[in-house]
Amino acid sequence: ALPISTIVNKWTAAAFKSRVCLFEAAWRKYHAADQLDIARTGCTEYSAKDLYKLAAEAAKEVMDNGPYKLYTSGAYSDGRGAYRELFIADKAVTTEVMMAIETDKVLGLGEQNWWYNSSTYGPHLCMSRKFMLSYLNADGTPYVEKKADGSYKNFVEETTGRDTRLNQTIRGADYTRKNASGVYEPTAANFTGHTLTGYQFTKFAMDDVAYDDAATNDNDIPIMRYAEVLLNYAEAKAELGELTDADWAATIGALRSRAGITGGTPQTGTLTTRPSSAEPYIASYYPTISDPSLLEIRRERGIELCLEGLRLNDLKRWNCCDLWVNDPWEGIFIPSLNQPLDVNGDGNYDAYFYDTDKIADEKYAAIGVYVGTNKSNVLNVKPVQGGYLMEYNYAGRSWPARQYLYPIPEVVIQFNTNLSQNPGW
């Protein structure tokens, strides 16, 4: 029998060890030359290499002897498949989910729909265009945002024939959800307050409007999955220079296969072989990394674990939180302004982007989105060939080096005078 997902066992302990050792190993490697050098702490018993080995060993223990495996049941359709089932299941899918938070509709312990789909929370977290572009095509080739004539692909083209995790993380063109009558119907992103980019998250949200306006979710929330163990192992082995094609196939290849990817290229790797050269787009994401396997593992980690609370620590340990500053925060392609648009191609108008004083035809006011530069507006558009890109203008984002570490509370330093404040605080 599979372990209960709310109880810590030796496998979750080993998985957590792999997570911690991987963090510390990467921190020591990628912060070795800055003011956050681990030597400042005097903790030198383990080198970065030692810690990568420990991370790999702990992950391999779970892989070889643990009761978990990737959950692959269920074909993908309409924004739902094996991957998304992990996040919308009433009871945690313990085939893969190693630890989870149980929610309860009666006790009001789950509010995922309220958070992502209700206007009472204000503007919501949403995917950026830069991140959307990192998802591969279904055949394993890199996605290209423009057509042969230089014009941009529309939203339907963007979310068709891609890694199925994209459409299981955001509302793609094929996404459906239950309306108030309990009938599944095509449902585009809600542009009037729920998404500032057009890529509206849905990974943890139930596909039913009945959940949207209160803390009524009963789908459990995974906080540790076997998929992370595979990623931890792949990264540690790649950092050690020991990643084999067999390792790749058992980790990255397996995750991509679950996502509907059927092949690959020498730059992205196939389902069974590592990449032999760097793919330009993901290399531009991480310009200090040249190893093609590491680049693809970072791509895979960002996609597979999106929204699961690990991204910030990944960026911290890799010493690349400048990604939070430099992301242009662009959104979907808009073919025209000042007229209603059918974004997801279902025959119904979803948004009316206007930069005039008011919408020309007031019957579409309910889907109106102002993208002008007046009224202290932060949502604008960027002219490109054939139309515009949604653009969220927010000035002043920064990531000073001190933010890689939290400050030590003053009261703690007062109790222990041997402690000194972290750099910059």
Side-chain angles (χ1 to χ4, degrees):
L2 287 167
I4 299 172
S5 65
T6 55
I7 298 176
V8 174
N9 58 52
K10 66 178 183 179
W11 308 115
T12 53
F16 187 67
K17 179 180 178 180
S18 77
R19 180 189 292 184
V20 171
C21 289
L22 189 66
F23 180 95
E24 193 65 22
W27 186 279
R28 296 186 187 204
K29 176 177 179 177
Y30 293 105
H31 286 282
D34 62 27
Q35 64 176 334
L36 306 175
D37 190 335
I38 193 63
R40 286 172 40 84
T41 69
C43 182
T44 57
E45 182 177 351
Y46 296 99
S47 67
K49 184 176 181 180
D50 293 334
L51 289 159
Y52 279 126
K53 286 183 177 179
L54 289 171
E57 289 169 0
K60 197 66 163 64
E61 173 67 16
V62 179
M63 293 165 63
D64 288 348
N65 301 312
Y68 304 99
K69 61 181 180 179
L70 289 182
Y71 177 72
T72 58
S73 299
Y76 170 80
S77 178
D78 301 332
R80 293 172 290 278
Y83 175 73
R84 187 148 176 262
E85 180 65 21
L86 297 167
F87 310 99
I88 59 174
D90 181 18
K91 295 297 181 183
V93 182
T94 52
T95 304
E96 177 174 340
V97 177
M98 302 175 70
M99 282 290 291
I101 298 172
E102 286 193 3
T103 62
D104 185 272
K105 181 182 297 187
V106 176
L107 297 178
L109 298 179
E111 55 182 60
Q112 300 91 287
N113 276 58
W114 199 10
W115 172 260
Y116 288 111
N117 296 335
S118 174
S119 297
T120 58
Y121 268 109
H124 299 275
L125 179 71
C126 46
M127 187 180 288
S128 70
R129 182 176 189 84
K130 182 176 180 178
F131 191 80
M132 177 279 295
L133 294 173
S134 70
Y135 286 76
L136 299 174
N137 293 316
D139 62 2
T141 59
Y143 176 72
V144 179
E145 64 182 339
K146 295 181 182 179
K147 303 176 186 178
D149 63 1
S151 63
Y152 281 75
K153 296 175 183 176
N154 61 36
F155 184 75
V156 174
E157 294 166 321
E158 281 182 346
T159 58
T160 300
R162 302 286 295 279
D163 177 332
T164 63
R165 287 171 296 187
L166 176 60
N167 288 23
Q168 294 179 81
T169 302
I170 64 167
R171 294 186 181 186
D174 59 351
Y175 176 70
T176 64
R177 73 192 308 244
K178 288 183 181 179
N179 58 25
S181 300
V183 177
Y184 280 99
E185 63 180 359
T187 308
N190 186 324
F191 293 89
T192 59
H194 294 180
T195 177
L196 293 171
T197 64
Y199 305 115
Q200 183 174 348
F201 284 129
T202 192
K203 180 172 173 176
F204 289 91
M206 299 298 288
D207 302 323
D208 187 339
V209 298
Y211 288 86
D212 287 354
D213 296 317
T216 56
N217 280 71
D218 48 14
N219 49 315
D220 291 352
I221 303 173
I223 56 177
M224 180 180 287
R225 293 193 290 123
Y226 181 68
E228 183 200 344
V229 174
L230 299 182
L231 290 163
N232 292 351
Y233 181 74
E235 182 179 342
K237 295 294 279 187
E239 289 283 10
L240 290 167
E242 299 174 357
L243 186 73
T244 66
D245 282 345
D247 292 330
W248 175 274
T251 57
I252 307 305
L255 290 167
R256 288 183 176 177
S257 179
R258 196 249 301 268
I261 294 176
T262 57
T265 71
Q267 292 183 326
T268 63
T270 70
L271 298 182
T272 57
T273 58
R274 294 164 294 157
S276 56
S277 61
E279 192 277 306
Y281 185 76
I282 202 65
S284 70
Y285 235 90
Y286 305 103
T288 63
I289 302 299
S290 58
D291 183 283
S293 293
L294 270 179
L295 286 169
E296 290 303 315
I297 290 167
R298 289 193 180 187
R299 181 205 302 271
E300 197 66 22
R301 190 173 179 91
I303 289 170
E304 178 68 28
L305 302 177
C306 182
L307 293 182
E308 294 181 51
L310 297 171
R311 182 63 170 174
L312 178 56
N313 274 340
D314 282 347
L315 295 182
K316 283 184 174 182
R317 65 189 179 87
W318 294 334
N319 196 12
C320 55
C321 283
D322 55 317
L323 279 172
W324 285 50
V325 179
N326 299 331
D327 191 326
W329 209 251
E330 293 170 348
I332 68 167
F333 173 72
I334 303 169
S336 59
L337 300 179
N338 304 315
Q339 65 182 65
L341 298 175
D342 175 12
V343 177
N344 66 346
D346 68 346
N348 297 310
Y349 292 132
D350 307 305
Y352 189 115
F353 298 99
Y354 67 104
D355 62 356
T356 55
D357 287 341
K358 63 179 182 178
I359 293 175
D361 191 335
E362 286 300 318
K363 69 181 178 181
Y364 297 117
I367 58 172
V369 183
Y370 179 67
V371 294
T373 56
N374 296 327
K375 308 174 186 177
S376 300
N377 197 40
V378 295
L379 182 59
N380 207 342
V381 290
K382 173 184 176 181
V384 294
Q385 183 174 335
Y388 309 84
L389 296 181
M390 289 182 72
E391 188 172 50
Y392 181 46
N393 297 314
Y394 185 77
R397 287 185 293 172
S398 64
W399 188 276
R402 71 177 190 176
Q403 291 183 196
Y404 278 97
L405 291 174
Y406 291 114
I408 300 173
E410 185 63 30
V411 65
V412 174
I413 296 176
Q414 289 173 354
F415 277 119
N416 186 350
T417 57
N418 293 319
L419 294 175
S420 59
Q421 187 56 270
N422 283 328
W425 293 99

